[in-house]
Amino acid sequence: MLAIMTKAEENTTLNDGTLELLTRLRARGAMTRSEIGAATGWARPTVNKRIDELVSIGIVRPLTMPSPTGGRPAQGFAFDASCAVILAVDIATTVTTLALCDLSGRPVTIRTIEVGAENGPEETLGLIYTTADGMLADDTNSDGDTDDDGDTDGDDASDTPGADASGAAPHATRLCAVSIAVTTRVETSTGNIIQAPVMRHWENHNLRDLFSRRYQVPAFVENDANVRALCKAYELAGDGERMVGDLLYVHAGMGLGAGIISSGVIMHGSGGAAGDIGHIHVLGEVGADRPCRCGNIGCVEASAGGWAILQSLQDAGKPVHTLADVVGLARQGDIETVQLVRRAGRLIGDAISTCVNLLNPSYIIVGGELSDCGELLMSGIRERVWARAQPLATTSLHIESCDDEARAGIIGLAYAAIDQGLTSLEFLRQFA
Ligand SMILES: [Zn+2]
């Protein structure tokens, strides 16, 4: 009880300075008190107070830093990415991937369950809760036995009496956020699922509130292409860069959608509908008069989306039921399938070239089941983007396919929670 009261008191003292120190330690790695003082200009008592606050809530830990000159080791302080976990839940159409990630975004445990958006909210959420509860319980149980990440913290603890007696939660057992991806758009103001052709039964379900209530931690809901864009923006950053500032992630699956990173942040638009590139109008193509799932005529998705390709092949009497079947036929060289996929590539390239002219990204990453067709799809995309986007916009443009989508989804979800959480004083206070 005493520990709880002490923490509550400490919560109120956490301020922007504490948050700034956390941000520096996350970006720079371990620092000594002197280094923190020199970098911030803070007086020693202020440095000490802010270090003590972060150590007491368990998000920073003391450690021994070897002296570069071989002299007496110094005491440093480091962000402890293993002090808590983020539950990442990536709800795709037919499967859901769950992971526990540490606070650097690294997945610690990953599970996939065979339910997804098309199973409806009751069945899917029920199995997600059961699976997540099991993962959290397993993580708690295994935590006492192993501490793979803590290379020297055992020694440090003995060197620094009181470091582990600070009231911090045990490592890796503490859930600090839930981050959920859905295969549709999310209304920015409410967190509700909107415009959801594949998640019709989920419309107006507020996953943010549901998960937040159940797990008593902040929850974040994002579009699945947005989180993959975020993952790639961080992973493709060059030396000295925090992230790629302008990147477009295109999901070419049953539908077509995009995640946009613009000036280093996910672009949601005013209501959350940004990136819905499947409904960009394409003209003059065979089949361009086919009605789209949105009710309009001439959308790129109605000719180049997975559902449209599947429908065309079924109309032609091909034995295809899933996009994996389409990819299989394309790889076998089935003429009609190859033609449809190549045409889809060119049409998607047309839509992307519009985005390139508008947004000037430095990377375009193409994922989704159709990207498994490889160059059959990618060559058409490149052809049209190079032909139709303006030279200044393509000078330093890279176009690549994504070969690790499931992993990118999970890591992007963790980054989304970290970006919104660990940079927020409100989150830090809740964490404490
Ligand atoms: Zn449409």
Side-chain angles (χ1 to χ4, degrees), residues 279 292 294 299:
H279 309 286
C292 179
C294 72
C299 297

Side-chain angles (χ1 to χ4, degrees), residues 278-280 291-302 307:
H279 309 286
I280 289 177
C292 179
R293 297 190 291 187
C294 72
N296 281 337
I297 300 288
C299 297
V300 60
E301 189 179 296
W307 64 267

Side-chain angles (χ1 to χ4, degrees), residues 105-425:
R106 186 181 67 92
V108 182
T109 330
I110 300 182
R111 301 234 176 108
T112 303
I113 52 176
E114 300 293 319
V115 295
E118 69 177 15
N119 297 82
E122 282 73 27
E123 183 184 354
T124 305
L125 287 175
L127 201 49
I128 287 173
Y129 292 151
T130 311
T131 308
D133 293 350
M135 291 167 77
L136 288 163
D138 286 352
D139 198 53
T140 304
N141 293 337
S142 65
D143 181 57
D145 305 329
T146 57
D147 188 1
D148 294 337
D149 303 327
D151 44 7
T152 60
D153 55 351
D155 291 341
D156 294 337
S158 61
D159 291 347
T160 315
D164 278 358
S166 59
H171 280 197
T173 57
R174 181 174 178 185
L175 179 68
C176 72
V178 184
S179 193
I180 308 131
V182 290
T183 180
T184 184
R185 299 288 143 185
V186 180
E187 193 170 36
T188 319
S189 55
T190 61
N192 280 343
I193 288 170
I194 49 169
Q195 289 181 16
V198 292
M199 296 187 83
R200 264 189 305 278
H201 303 300
W202 297 70
E203 279 193 14
N204 296 319
H205 273 69
N206 195 310
L207 297 181
R208 190 168 67 193
D209 290 351
L210 286 174
F211 277 88
S212 181
R213 256 202 313 273
R214 182 177 171 93
Y215 292 101
Q216 294 293 303
V217 292
F220 307 97
V221 185
E222 260 299 355
N223 167 265
D224 56 358
N226 287 353
V227 296
R228 285 163 173 81
L230 193 63
C231 172
K232 291 296 169 184
Y234 276 110
E235 288 190 347
L236 292 167
D239 284 346
E241 277 184 343
R242 189 177 79 92
M243 69 193 299
V244 172
D246 297 274
L247 176 146
L248 186 71
Y249 179 94
V250 176
H251 177 85
M254 275 297 193
L256 293 173
I260 304 163
I261 302 293
S262 181
S263 301
V265 293
I266 297 174
M267 184 189 278
H268 294 101
S270 61
D276 227 350
I277 63 165
H279 309 286
I280 289 177
H281 200 94
V282 286
L283 294 168
E285 291 284 343
V286 179
D289 56 349
R290 176 187 282 169
C292 179
R293 297 190 291 187
C294 72
N296 281 337
I297 300 288
C299 297
V300 60
E301 189 179 296
S303 295
W307 64 267
I309 294 175
L310 204 54
Q311 201 174 311
S312 297
L313 289 173
Q314 284 168 347
D315 291 348
K318 303 279 181 186
V320 289
H321 306 285
T322 65
L323 289 187
D325 297 337
V326 174
V327 173
L329 275 185
R331 284 181 174 167
Q332 287 163 28
D334 178 79
I335 298 291
E336 271 172 301
T337 310
V338 166
Q339 284 176 341
L340 281 170
V341 171
R342 283 193 182 282
R343 189 169 72 100
R346 290 192 295 272
L347 290 171
I348 295 169
D350 284 344
I352 292 177
S353 65
T354 303
C355 302
V356 169
N357 285 330
L358 189 69
L359 301 167
N360 190 196
S362 52
Y363 278 89
I364 290 166
I365 310 294
V366 182
E369 295 94 324
L370 288 181
S371 72
D372 292 339
C373 293
E375 280 307 302
L376 284 179
L377 186 85
M378 295 301 293
S379 59
I381 292 177
R382 290 199 185 91
E383 174 197 318
R384 289 293 172 90
V385 173
W386 297 134
R388 301 199 171 180
Q390 291 302 297
L392 184 58
T394 53
T395 305
S396 58
L397 179 64
H398 306 266
I399 304 178
E400 299 173 7
S401 58
C402 178
D403 54 8
D404 60 349
E405 254 190 286
R407 192 194 64 90
I410 286 303
I411 294 176
L413 274 169
Y415 287 161
I418 291 165
D419 270 5
Q420 292 171 77
L422 292 184
T423 53
S424 142
L425 192 55

